[in-house]
Amino acid sequence: MSKIRLSAIIFSIIGIVLVTQGVHFYDSAWSFPGNLFSDTFKADYPISSIPFMVVALLGTGIYMTFKLGFPQLRRVLHGIRVTRGDYDHVDDEGDLNHFKALSTALAATVGIGNIAGVAIAIYYGGPGALFWMWITAFFGTALKYAECTLALEYRETDSLGNTAGGPMYTIENGLGPKWRWLAATFACFAIICSFFTGNAIQSNTLTQQLYAQILTITGSDNAIMATNSITLLGSESNISLMHVIIGLSSAAIVGAVILGGIKRIGNVTSYLVPIMAAIYVMCALFIILTNYERVGESFSTIFTMAFNPPSIKDPAIGIAAGAFISFLNTMMMGVKRGLFSSESGQGSAAIAHSTAKTPYAVREGVVALLEPYIDTIIICTLTGLVIMVTNSWHLTEFYSQRIDPSVTDLKAGVLLTSHAFGIGMPSIGAQVVTVAVVLFALSTAISWSFYGERATEYLFGTGAISIYRYCYVFMVFVGSMLTLEQVWIFGDAALAFMTFPNLLAIILLSNKLKDLSSDYFEKY
């Protein structure tokens, strides 16, 4: 069966289920199989609440860590040497050098997940969720190495002379044509994910943060800032003329970059990523160092609440079940936001890394394993510590429901991070977060467009790329108008459905991957 026909069938099934069951059916990917059991059954057998997604992600990461001999520890220095250009050669096949390929992938991963994602994890799961983000990142590093090495090994050259790679090519070329249906499934959800996770979530957060900052200056008593309630996709959105202006401006900036193709994307991200990361990291470090006396206590709270968070007080489920459900909620929030932040196991970063100029697949794999360290272990940790040392985590739903019910002034997402930076740096803290949100969101949207573009080309050919690009730019504008809940729910769901085909391919090709690694490191 042709890929076009396969994609038509898959998109039809996705649409039918969406119309008949609603978006929450897809969101249940994060609660399956617990969503199949009654509350009474889950209270009696709390282990049934553990999502299969968590087991699959961490399980595959642990398996590949031992299978490949802990590459996230043994291959880091080699990855740094490759990234700085020690092995670059102008005649190597590919589109981008190692640094630009890493920058493009980092531009997609270093984004709203590092600002709003960490805050959301702490808001719902408490400080202990940050620990589970670390665990996800550590074992996810082995997944990032695996998926990106395989992407290089099985990449192709398209009709325009550009490299084309990623899990869809890994699945079809590595596992054989009989697995084309799985490759097409990944590509379909990659396109959906690019519109929501990589696009709408970014533009939505950017718009809300910019609007909030402008509101503090101008107030809402004018025609540009005044909001009106409009129903979009079944939810009420409060939209002003300023929301429209910001949305159109964001779409114009993203369009100007992505319409120039991967080389322009690589050039922009190779400059934008280091600058935006440096600004954010320096400001976060300043706040943490000026509150150094609370750092030890913050780490203690993180580790304690990772395994023993305050229990949900519900007489109907009992003390033991309540404690386990509380632990599970903390762990799942950390794993979910850790996956969103680092994209380990998701397969998206493999698409960017497949463009690298190198004759050795493993050489780009060791570059890719640096991502979770930069993205989650460093930047997400700094965000979490700023929230902790400024005691801003006291304004979370977790703190209000589990520790002090008298707290009612809650702040979620980027507003929590902005509040924390505002306390740490009263004069410019909130503005720093605003700048970071703008740069992070735009860079992520720019890089994710390439992921969806490669998936589109795989399914429909090069002729469909221009159509996809214009739809993507339009979605930047649409995303800025939607509610936060709408974009996060469907984005998380598409992310989960992308991950399963990629994890399966990694497991089935693990022996091939081990051989590639052994052969390469015998030489280098």
Side-chain angles (χ1 to χ4, degrees):
M1 186 181 295
S2 69
K3 286 183 283 190
I4 293 179
R5 183 173 297 179
L6 264 176
S7 61
I9 294 173
I10 295 168
F11 276 124
S12 297
I13 294 173
I14 294 172
I16 292 171
V17 173
L18 180 62
V19 171
T20 58
Q21 303 296 322
V23 71
H24 289 283
F25 173 85
Y26 289 101
D27 190 46
S28 65
W30 283 99
S31 57
F32 176 85
N35 60 307
L36 302 179
F37 305 126
S38 66
D39 292 339
T40 302
F41 183 87
K42 287 187 285 188
D44 293 335
Y45 304 97
I47 197 171
S48 64
S49 299
I50 298 178
F52 179 70
M53 185 68 195
V54 173
V55 176
L57 180 68
L58 292 182
T60 307
I62 293 170
Y63 171 72
M64 294 309 301
T65 294
F66 285 93
K67 179 92 173 181
L68 300 174
F70 285 82
Q72 61 266 66
L73 298 178
R74 297 172 59 207
R75 309 306 182 192
V76 172
L77 292 179
H78 186 65
I80 293 173
R81 288 195 294 268
V82 174
T83 303
R84 70 187 184 188
D86 289 4
Y87 300 90
D88 284 358
H89 194 284
V90 293
D91 295 328
D92 286 341
E93 180 183 353
D95 298 325
L96 302 177
N97 63 33
H98 293 289
F99 178 72
K100 287 185 178 180
L102 176 63
S103 296
T104 300
L106 274 175
T109 57
V110 179
I112 299 305
N114 301 89
I115 301 177
V118 178
I120 288 173
I122 295 176
Y123 183 84
Y124 291 110
L130 188 59
F131 172 84
W132 294 106
M133 290 185 72
W134 296 336
I135 296 299
T136 304
F138 179 77
F139 290 111
T141 302
L143 293 179
K144 189 69 71 92
Y145 168 82
E147 64 193 9
C148 292
T149 299
L150 291 171
L152 266 290
E153 179 66 16
Y154 294 108
R155 69 182 178 181
E156 299 177 357
T157 301
D158 63 21
S159 60
L160 300 177
N162 299 316
T163 53
M168 52 278 193
Y169 292 95
T170 297
I171 294 170
E172 182 171 352
N173 297 335
L175 299 179
K178 66 179 181 180
W179 291 90
R180 178 176 288 177
W181 64 272
L182 188 66
T185 300
F186 173 89
C188 288
F189 278 107
I191 293 173
I192 295 173
C193 205
S194 73
F195 283 132
F196 286 87
T197 300
N199 185 330
I201 286 176
Q202 313 304 320
S203 63
N204 182 273
T205 307
L206 182 157
T207 301
Q208 297 305 323
Q209 180 66 14
L210 273 180
Y211 178 81
Q213 282 296 304
I214 297 172
L215 189 65
T216 61
I217 300 173
T218 65
S220 59
D221 297 329
N222 57 77
I224 295 179
M225 301 298 293
T227 60
N228 295 292
S229 180
I230 300 176
T231 302
L232 293 173
L233 300 181
S235 296
E236 292 290 328
S237 295
N238 293 317
I239 299 173
S240 69
L241 182 58
M242 181 56 69
H243 286 86
V244 176
I245 294 172
I246 296 171
L248 289 174
S249 301
S250 301
I253 294 172
V254 172
V257 177
I258 70 172
L259 295 179
I262 182 57
K263 292 185 178 180
R264 184 183 295 176
I265 292 173
N267 289 333
V268 171
T269 56
S270 65
Y271 287 103
L272 192 59
V273 170
I275 292 173
M276 70 181 186
I279 294 173
Y280 189 77
V281 167
M282 286 190 295
C283 291
L285 281 173
F286 174 81
I287 295 173
I288 293 168
L289 292 175
T290 54
N291 293 274
Y292 69 91
E293 71 279 359
R294 296 178 182 171
V295 173
E297 178 187 350
S298 297
F299 275 110
S300 177
T301 302
I302 290 169
F303 286 115
T304 299
M305 291 194 179
F307 298 95
N308 189 29
S311 299
I312 295 175
K313 297 176 177 61
D314 187 347
I317 62 176
I319 297 176
F324 183 82
I325 292 173
S326 296
F327 162 75
L328 186 64
N329 173 69
T330 295
M331 181 179 69
M332 195 174 78
M333 285 306 305
V335 172
K336 185 187 286 191
R337 296 274 66 83
L339 173 60
F340 179 85
S341 175
S342 69
E343 298 179 10
S344 296
Q346 183 181 341
S348 52
I351 300 174
H353 284 284
S354 68
T355 65
K357 292 183 176 182
T358 179
Y360 301 105
V362 173
R363 186 167 288 171
E364 188 60 23
V366 296
V367 173
L369 66 77
L370 299 176
E371 282 180 42
Y373 286 109
I374 298 170
D375 172 82
T376 305
I377 302 298
I378 296 177
I379 300 180
C380 285
T381 298
L382 291 175
T383 300
L385 285 177
V386 169
I387 292 173
M388 294 295 296
V389 299
T390 59
N391 284 330
S392 297
W393 74 280
H394 292 178
L395 303 179
T396 64
E397 180 182 288
F398 178 91
Y399 189 87
S400 176
Q401 292 185 353
R402 312 283 185 87
I403 300 175
D404 186 359
S406 66
V407 176
T408 57
D409 182 20
L410 308 182
K411 296 185 183 298
V414 70
L415 296 179
L416 178 62
T417 305
S418 182
H419 175 80
F421 271 77
I423 292 177
M425 301 176 69
S427 56
I428 62 170
Q431 289 74 20
V432 167
V433 173
T434 300
V435 172
V437 165
V438 172
L439 295 179
F440 283 21
L442 289 176
S443 66
T444 299
I446 288 168
S447 291
W448 259 99
S449 69
F450 180 67
Y451 298 165
E453 179 183 309
R454 293 293 92 181
T456 299
E457 181 185 21
Y458 172 80
L459 293 173
F460 305 109
T462 55
I465 291 177
S466 60
I467 298 175
Y468 169 83
R469 288 175 178 173
Y470 285 110
C471 291
Y472 190 88
V473 172
F474 177 69
M475 192 62 186
V476 173
F477 172 73
V478 173
S480 65
M481 302 295 111
L482 300 176
T483 64
L484 185 65
E485 181 182 13
Q486 286 175 306
V487 293
W488 277 97
I489 285 179
F490 205 51
D492 274 349
L495 183 151
F497 281 100
M498 273 182 69
T499 302
F500 282 117
N502 185 51
L503 294 180
L504 181 60
I506 290 173
I507 292 172
L508 294 178
L509 292 169
S510 60
N511 288 332
K512 172 69 174 179
L513 183 62
K514 186 176 182 180
D515 291 340
L516 288 171
S517 300
S518 299
D519 292 343
Y520 177 81
F521 287 111
E522 283 180 4
K523 299 178 181 179
Y524 302 95

